[in-house]
């Protein structure tokens, strides 16, 4: 699975590298990296991506757990 997010060097935060590209946002991110909404979205997505599981695998596990 290809990740959409990356973790900060300290591992405590996540970001969407697309926002930091010169050809998309001028390399400034969301308002220069001060976007609370994008921070929350990236954190939530990164937690999912950290599992290394695909949506199909998660649905299969959920179905198994529900009996």
């Amino acid at each position: 699975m290809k990740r959409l997010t990356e973790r900060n060097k300290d591992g405590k935060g996540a970001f969407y590298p697309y926002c930091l590209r010169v050809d998309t946002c001028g390399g400034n991110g969301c308002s220069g990296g001060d976007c609370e909404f994008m921070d929350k979205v990236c954190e939530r997505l990164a937690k999912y991506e950290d599992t290394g599981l695909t949506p199909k695998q998660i649905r299969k596990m959920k179905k198994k757990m529900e009996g």
Side-chain angles (χ1 to χ4, degrees):
M1 170 181 68
K2 183 179 177 189
R3 291 183 68 107
L4 296 174
T5 61
E6 290 184 18
R7 287 276 179 198
N8 293 331
K9 290 181 182 177
D10 63 7
K12 294 183 181 179
F15 62 96
Y16 183 44
Y18 180 86
C19 292
L20 301 175
R21 290 179 17 195
V22 175
D23 64 330
T24 56
C25 296
N28 296 322
C30 296
S31 303
D34 193 21
C35 180
E36 186 177 336
F37 173 74
M38 186 58 82
D39 289 344
K40 288 180 182 180
V41 169
C42 285
E43 274 304 315
R44 187 159 183 182
L45 179 58
K47 285 179 183 179
Y48 157 71
E49 291 178 330
D50 287 347
T51 70
L53 300 171
T54 65
K56 185 177 180 178
Q57 290 170 314
I58 291 173
R59 286 190 296 272
K60 187 176 179 180
M61 286 175 54
K62 182 180 178 190
K63 187 175 180 181
K64 198 176 212 180
M65 290 173 60
E66 291 174 344

